[in-house]
Amino acid sequence: MHFMYTSTRNTDEKATASQAILKGLAQNGGLFVPEQIPVLDIDVDTLAQMTYQETAYAVMSRFFTDFTEEELKSCIANAYDSKFDTQEIAPLVRARDAWYLELFHGPTIAFKDMALSILPHLLITAAKKNQVKNEIVILTATSGDTGKAALAGFADVPGTKIIVFYPKDGVSPIQEKQMVTQKGDNTFVVGIKGNFDQAQSGVKQMFSNASLAKEMDMAGYQFSSANSINIGRLVPQIVYYVYAYAKLYAKGEIQKGEKINAVVPTGNFGNILAAFYAKHMGIPIAKLICASNENKVLCDFFTTGTYDKNREFILTSSPSMDILISSNLERLIYRIAGNDAVQNAAYMKSLLTQGSYAITPEMKDRLSDFYGNFADEGETAQFIQSLYQETGYVLDTHTAVAASVYQKYKADTKDTDTKSVIVSTASPFKFTRSVMEAIDKGAYHAMADFDLADELAKIAKVKIPQAIEDIRSAEVRHKTVCEPDEMERVVRAFLNIS
Ligand SMILES: *Cc1c(COP(=O)(O)O)cnc(C)c1O
């Protein structure tokens, strides 16, 4: 018997891991969730000796049971290789009062690489396993980092095409340059005149459009998703929480069974949901600290029990967290509703039609694993500056939101003893302008983007990442821009279906 996945909106819909990865999204907009969270029955002394790749196998083999050992190990070996600039893959760095788990050592220097370097391999293996004949079209909305990481993962992968939509005015200059210079004959990048939520909604609509699916099938295509709603992205993200815990133990920083906090800069709720799954696999995690920027819909949700996206969408210096509809939260809602798909579907309908929903007091009680707060633009910049002044360590804006929220958490709860891991989701080189202006606006305001990167390398005493060198002089290959309501037309044109 294989471990099965079910839809958050219909428990009759079931899929094996490979089927769930292929589909991306369940029918009627539901998300696939594991029927139960498997326990990681491996002693921490054993985990402490494992490489990243071995840890990945230990975690993924418990979720993806219809992949053979050979298949899974080959996916892992192809993903976590020299594309990463350190053999540790996800190093832990101590600065001031916390450990920073650096998840930006992959090819596109943001944490999306942790999952998107393996997703193409999982997907191709899943397609073979399920005798899929169609070409797979990866359709993705991005708030900046997913897009590039997915493009890098899928470029020139036989049997796939990839289409990425990003908010034209809602990503950093480096993020945009990374995407529009993407090589590969199967890649297509489109800016939309709207925000991330509009891009994500447009993509979800295409996924649930049955007549489009039929026309695609006739033309030899089918959609899949590289967004964080795909369990093929979620499960690989559990790995680094297990790895970080085991490494802290190996360093002698924590005792066996000692709990740690995980502080996660959050947007679509994928990363922190992976931490939640890690906790329920048995990793001793005390609090899951959910950090928002000024788009603090999640912070308000954890405080009040009401999710309300009816508010102004704010463009911040942490664009990958500029999100008002956090898709992966649905998986948590389903769980705290007691795995009740009917109730969850009603909440999601209310979100769609009213823009909000309120959970019951019993459900809110089940959120005690979480602490939510936010940092505004000033606090974020201030944190980057002060940590740099004190330690020389330079954070990116997203990580700084988390680190700033961690200070608030400590002040609020007086929990200053629990060792805390702050998830560092991007290299400061990806958000150079915001980072450098946080450090010294007067000195850096007038400098050009790539000069700022050189300057950052100097003051942080680190080498400029290859990802930045690669785009310095790269040619812009993607120039399509469209309105949010033209997304389907653009996809049809790219695939040559009318
Ligand atoms: C995507 C992203 C986030 C948010 O992660 P979610 O899983 O969507 O919550 C935070 N920081 C950076 C740099 C990102 O790219």
Side-chain angles (χ1 to χ4, degrees), residues 110-112 143 145-146 175 228 233 237 264-272 320-321 323 328 396 398-399 425-426 431:
F111 98 96
K112 303 296 194 293
S143 56
D145 291 330
T146 287
Q175 284 179 310
S228 60
R233 263 187 72 180
Q237 292 179 177
V264 188
T266 298
N268 223 358
F269 209 74
N271 199 352
I272 195 163
S320 303
M321 297 158 68
I323 291 176
N328 275 295
D396 100 286
H398 304 73
T399 311
T425 49
F431 302 94

Side-chain angles (χ1 to χ4, degrees), residues 318-330:
S318 44
S320 303
M321 297 158 68
D322 289 347
I323 291 176
L324 293 178
I325 307 173
S326 297
S327 295
N328 275 295
L329 185 68
E330 178 169 347

Side-chain angles (χ1 to χ4, degrees), residues 21 52 56 60 64 72 75-76 78-81 83-84 89-90 102-124 138 140 145-154 162 225-241 270-272 274 328 331 423 425:
I21 290 170
Y52 193 86
M60 292 187 208
F64 299 155
L72 211 46
C75 290
I76 290 167
N78 284 316
Y80 306 111
D81 60 6
K83 288 193 287 300
F84 286 76
I89 307 293
E102 292 189 348
L103 300 182
F104 55 77
H105 289 271
T108 76
I109 60 176
F111 98 96
K112 303 296 194 293
D113 289 325
M114 303 307 293
L116 282 164
S117 52
I118 193 164
L119 184 69
H121 303 289
L122 294 172
L123 200 67
I124 293 302
I138 302 295
T140 286
D145 291 330
T146 287
K148 179 61 189 185
L151 287 161
F154 283 98
I162 172 161
S225 166
N227 274 100
S228 60
I229 47 175
N230 193 317
I231 57 120
R233 263 187 72 180
L234 192 57
V235 171
Q237 292 179 177
I238 301 170
V239 174
Y240 47 76
Y241 290 101
N271 199 352
I272 195 163
N328 275 295
R331 290 184 160 115
V423 180
T425 49

Side-chain angles (χ1 to χ4, degrees), residues 43-208:
D43 188 65
V44 65
D45 289 299
T46 311
L47 286 173
Q49 302 304 317
M50 287 186 180
T51 62
Y52 193 86
Q53 293 80 354
E54 288 163 347
T55 314
Y57 181 74
V59 172
M60 292 187 208
S61 58
R62 276 147 179 94
F63 281 93
F64 299 155
T65 60
D66 67 332
F67 287 70
T68 65
E69 176 172 350
E70 192 191 348
E71 285 169 343
L72 211 46
K73 285 191 169 161
S74 144
C75 290
I76 290 167
N78 284 316
Y80 306 111
D81 60 6
S82 59
K83 288 193 287 300
F84 286 76
D85 68 10
T86 161
Q87 281 190 351
E88 287 177 276
I89 307 293
L92 276 165
V93 174
R94 170 94 207 195
R96 201 147 74 188
D97 56 352
W99 290 92
Y100 288 86
L101 177 62
E102 292 189 348
L103 300 182
F104 55 77
H105 289 271
T108 76
I109 60 176
F111 98 96
K112 303 296 194 293
D113 289 325
M114 303 307 293
L116 282 164
S117 52
I118 193 164
L119 184 69
H121 303 289
L122 294 172
L123 200 67
I124 293 302
T125 312
K128 275 194 206 121
K129 220 177 241 321
N130 290 277
Q131 281 98 40
V132 170
K133 305 248 161 26
N134 285 335
E135 191 164 348
I136 293 170
V137 180
I138 302 295
L139 194 59
T140 286
T142 182
S143 56
D145 291 330
T146 287
K148 179 61 189 185
L151 287 161
F154 283 98
D156 292 326
V157 172
T160 70
K161 285 193 181 359
I162 172 161
I163 308 174
V164 169
F165 290 97
Y166 72 96
K168 181 77 182 111
D169 298 316
V171 300
S172 85
I174 302 272
Q175 284 179 310
E176 180 169 38
K177 185 101 196 264
Q178 278 189 307
M179 286 189 280
V180 296
T181 56
Q182 177 65 46
K183 298 198 178 87
D185 290 339
N186 64 338
T187 66
F188 192 54
V189 180
V190 187
I192 70 156
K193 294 181 202 153
N195 62 38
F196 170 72
D197 286 330
Q198 289 170 300
Q200 179 161 258
S201 298
V203 162
K204 278 191 188 165
Q205 268 166 28
M206 280 186 263
F207 271 110
S208 47

